[in-house]
């Protein structure tokens, strides 16, 4: 496809949405951690809806879980690319996977901090 034939405007957005949906389906099918995070998101939405907290705090609770899911998608993409290149052990491949996994861990820590902070301020403090 030449530069002049590339999709633009609404057609580009529609194609981008199709690719994104395909990525979400692939993550759901192939990544147990992503499925667990979807369950966590449903839980977060229910709890946030029930709690008597501000709309900003509700958004923070749900947003923290969504952020974990975003990082998990990037981790899964990194793993897929590394595995596509080759399954043989290589220091850089291992490092890439470990760093992506560390990013997931850090996003989970951030989510826990948000949840603990909101609950502490409203119910425990």
């Amino acid at each position: 496809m030449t530069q002049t034939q590339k999709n633009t405007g609404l057609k580009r957005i529609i194609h981008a949405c199709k690719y994104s949906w395909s990525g979400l389906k692939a993550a759901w099918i192939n990544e147990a951690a992503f499925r667990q995070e979807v369950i966590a998101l449903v839980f977060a939405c229910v709890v946030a809806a029930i709690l008597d907290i501000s709309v900003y705090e509700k958004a923070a609770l749900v947003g923290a879980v969504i952020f974990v899911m975003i990082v998990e998608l990037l981790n899964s993409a990194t793993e897929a690319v590394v595995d596509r290149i080759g399954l043989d052990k290589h220091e850089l491949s291992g490092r890439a996977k470990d760093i992506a996994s560390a990013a997931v861990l850090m996003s989970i820590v951030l989510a826990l901090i948000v949840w603990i902070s909101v609950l502490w301020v409203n119910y425990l403090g």
Side-chain angles (χ1 to χ4, degrees):
M1 187 179 282
T2 67
Q3 192 68 12
T4 57
Q5 294 174 319
K6 286 197 175 193
N7 295 321
T8 59
L10 184 58
K11 196 171 185 179
R12 183 192 61 78
I13 293 170
I14 291 169
H15 283 286
C17 288
K18 287 179 184 177
Y19 299 140
S20 297
W21 184 250
S22 293
L24 290 170
K25 284 192 325 188
W28 177 263
I29 291 167
N30 298 298
E31 300 296 332
F34 183 76
R35 291 190 297 273
Q36 292 167 348
E37 290 156 0
V38 170
I39 293 166
L41 178 62
V42 171
F43 175 79
C45 289
V46 170
V47 171
I50 293 170
L51 293 177
D52 185 25
I53 56 178
S54 75
V55 68
Y56 303 109
E57 291 167 317
K58 291 175 190 281
L61 294 180
V62 172
V65 178
I66 290 172
F67 182 69
V68 172
M69 294 173 71
I70 291 167
V71 177
E72 181 64 46
L73 289 168
L74 294 171
N75 176 51
S76 297
T78 300
E79 289 180 353
V81 169
V82 168
D83 290 347
R84 164 65 175 86
I85 292 169
L87 296 177
D88 55 312
K89 296 273 186 195
H90 191 280
E91 178 188 348
L92 293 177
S93 296
R95 188 183 315 162
K97 286 183 165 189
D98 290 348
I99 291 170
S101 180
V104 174
L105 175 63
M106 297 307 295
S107 71
I108 292 169
V109 169
L110 176 62
L112 288 172
I113 290 169
V114 169
W115 274 81
I116 291 167
S117 298
V118 169
L119 294 176
W120 186 272
V121 166
N122 288 282
Y123 298 101
L124 304 172

